[in-house]
Amino acid sequence: MPTALVARSISSFWRSCSSKMSSPKVVDMRSDTVTTPTVAMRAAMADATVGDDVYGDDPTVLSLQNKMAALLGKEAGLFFPTGTMSNLAALMSHAREKGDEIILGDRSHISIWEQGSISCLGGIFPRQVRNNPDGTLDLDELVSKIHPGGHDGHYCLTKAIVIENTSNYCCGAPIGLDYMEDLASIAKKYRLKIHVDGARIFNAAVALGVEPKELVKHAETVSVCLSKGLGAPVGTLLLGTRETIDRCHRIRKVLGGGMRQVGVLAAPALVAMETVLPLLGRDHENARRFATGISALNEFGLKVDVERVRTNMVLFSIEREDLGAGKFCELLEDENSTKSPPFLRAKMLPQGSRQIIRAVLHHQISSDDVDAVIEKMRNVLSIKY
Ligand SMILES: *Cc1c(COP(=O)(O)O)cnc(C)c1O
């Protein structure tokens, strides 16, 4: 090929790349896990002092574990790659014999979204109790399902109760202090441990206006995600007594979660605690703003219960003959689906039915983004399909 032609084809190649690079704005509301590390987080990763964490030698990890333990009023903390592994290790430490059981909500993350790990890897039987729409477990039903032991060999032995706070499936509902008191008195009576799956415990604390440590004071173990609303790229911390955390340290190793110079992951989490944690309230305001915007689209077939939006999640439904949740989400994600601006790509997820859609707010979505997405929704909805 003559040189001039080669040059021209290279230049057209680059032009096509750069037109792709100036692609439209994406507002990703699928989850609060989609955040990307901030400049400060990346700088902290590059600068992190590290050591071999399997030997307990990584100062950055130790610092993160200690900070979070102090914030949640627990003796010790342990860094896990994921919340799934942290929940599993905590429950394996509470229910140690094969066939021991734990009580948990039928709409909990552990019941629905963790591949039954407590059964298939932990040998634990999951006794499910119905989740109320506010995320709580019905306490009468819960008590009726406890098998505290004794001479009757028919039953599993109940060892722990799991509460998820906020409750993911129940629109991010925060569970308050009064409920935790009632639960604690039951747990005490039957000598059961409480594990809080607190992936979003700080969202709960902010929404309820209480200290995070108050919310988990009756919990033997608490699991807190760093990579949800806090915006860190990776990780979950498990907090509890020194003794329990030491046991979980062994369990983490057998699950394959012992990592080495993991301070590079703890460093951005420390930045997240300092810079993103104080902003969670803004996500809740933006969630309300989004829900209020949706409620103004009622005439186009959208329905939302604005009062139910207490933290950073919004559940709404689309009730139209010509448009289901899946198709609606596809249209929102296509920048060219309408003729008028804004030409952005808004991402949300249909949740389990033809009509329900979930949107989650996080620190990389602004109130202007929310308004633009509402405008895009209005444009998409005003077309007949
Ligand atoms: C995200 C989440 C987890 C853990 O998720 P991983 O993706 O394994 O980190 C656990 N519980 C709840 C409630 C969650 O939202």
Side-chain angles (χ1 to χ4, degrees):
M1 212 193 281
T3 328
L5 246 178
V6 172
R8 219 178 308 146
S9 93
I10 290 176
S11 109
S12 91
F13 168 76
W14 279 109
R15 241 179 297 129
S16 77
C17 287
S18 74
S19 75
K20 271 185 207 122
M21 276 188 256
S22 64
S23 52
K25 185 172 177 65
V26 178
V27 183
D28 196 338
M29 304 171 102
R30 287 172 301 169
S31 174
D32 45 11
T33 56
V34 301
T35 56
T36 52
T38 61
V39 173
M41 288 180 199
R42 286 178 188 272
M45 293 173 85
D47 287 346
T49 313
V50 296
D52 189 331
D53 186 52
V54 169
Y55 295 111
D57 282 352
D58 191 307
T60 312
V61 174
L62 296 177
S63 158
L64 175 67
Q65 291 173 167
N66 291 339
K67 268 209 176 110
M68 189 64 92
L71 193 54
L72 290 173
K74 301 295 176 200
E75 279 173 16
L78 192 60
F79 187 89
F80 280 83
T82 64
T84 299
M85 191 188 282
S86 165
N87 279 333
L88 174 59
L91 294 174
M92 285 174 73
S93 85
H94 300 327
R96 286 182 241 170
E97 301 257 342
K98 258 191 196 169
D100 278 351
E101 83 183 348
I102 56 125
I103 292 181
L104 79 177
D106 64 349
R107 291 177 169 184
S108 61
H109 196 279
I110 299 175
S111 283
I112 302 175
W113 287 305
E114 299 183 13
Q115 278 192 26
S117 62
I118 60 168
S119 307
C120 66
L121 301 176
I124 300 168
F125 189 83
R127 179 77 57 193
Q128 297 190 338
V129 171
R130 201 165 19 90
N131 273 109
N132 296 316
D134 67 0
T136 60
L137 305 177
D138 182 87
L139 293 180
D140 292 331
E141 185 184 340
L142 188 154
V143 169
S144 78
K145 290 191 167 170
I146 295 172
H147 301 130
H151 298 297
D152 191 333
H154 284 96
Y155 302 112
C156 294
L157 299 180
T158 313
K159 295 295 167 73
I161 306 168
V162 182
I163 286 293
E164 186 176 309
N165 201 6
T166 65
S167 171
N168 191 331
Y169 199 97
C170 301
C171 198
I175 296 173
L177 294 176
D178 290 348
Y179 182 83
M180 290 308 290
E181 288 298 327
D182 294 344
L183 188 77
S185 61
I186 293 169
K188 191 163 172 217
K189 180 168 170 194
Y190 295 100
R191 296 171 187 235
L192 306 179
K193 304 266 170 64
I194 294 175
H195 171 67
V196 173
D197 180 357
R200 299 184 181 81
I201 195 71
F202 293 111
N203 294 87
V206 168
L208 298 162
V210 301
E211 287 292 320
K213 65 170 79 160
E214 283 298 304
L215 270 183
V216 297
K217 77 174 170 214
H218 298 297
E220 177 72 20
T221 43
V222 191
S223 176
V224 182
C225 280
L226 302 160
S227 56
K228 300 281 168 75
L230 297 187
V234 179
T236 287
L237 284 170
L238 184 68
L239 302 311
T241 60
R242 181 79 261 165
E243 192 192 340
T244 302
I245 291 299
D246 284 348
R247 200 179 303 129
C248 291
H249 192 263
R250 270 188 70 76
I251 298 172
R252 186 183 70 175
K253 191 80 180 97
V254 79
L255 294 176
M259 298 182 287
R260 304 294 178 173
Q261 285 70 29
V262 76
V264 290
L265 300 181
L270 282 163
V271 174
M273 285 178 73
E274 252 170 52
T275 61
V276 185
L277 182 53
L279 304 178
L280 290 182
R282 210 182 56 184
D283 298 340
H284 300 182
E285 283 164 24
N286 282 336
R288 273 280 174 138
R289 186 185 186 97
F290 186 56
T292 307
I294 290 171
S295 67
L297 298 175
N298 192 267
E299 60 179 301
F300 297 107
L302 294 195
K303 294 224 166 66
V304 65
D305 181 354
V306 180
E307 290 310 309
R308 214 176 160 210
V309 177
R310 309 263 319 268
T311 59
N312 65 334
M313 290 190 192
V314 180
L315 286 182
F316 62 99
S317 60
I318 175 160
E319 299 177 17
R320 276 167 65 140
E321 286 293 321
D322 63 332
L323 202 53
K327 181 73 186 163
F328 184 45
C329 287
E330 275 171 31
L331 291 165
L332 290 176
E333 199 172 332
D334 176 359
E335 71 268 26
N336 297 316
S337 58
T338 64
K339 292 215 168 56
S340 34
F343 299 107
L344 55 78
R345 305 180 58 200
K347 297 188 179 192
M348 293 167 219
L349 285 178
Q351 180 144 312
S353 84
R354 205 188 100 83
Q355 293 187 320
I356 311 288
I357 295 168
R358 183 183 89 156
V360 186
L361 279 292
H362 53 74
H363 79 106
Q364 288 169 336
I365 297 178
S366 68
S367 57
D368 285 347
D369 293 338
V370 167
D371 294 347
V373 172
I374 290 289
E375 195 52 36
K376 166 100 185 179
M377 289 169 93
R378 177 184 294 280
N379 292 342
V380 167
L381 290 165
S382 54
I383 300 168
K384 187 114 186 71
Y385 296 93

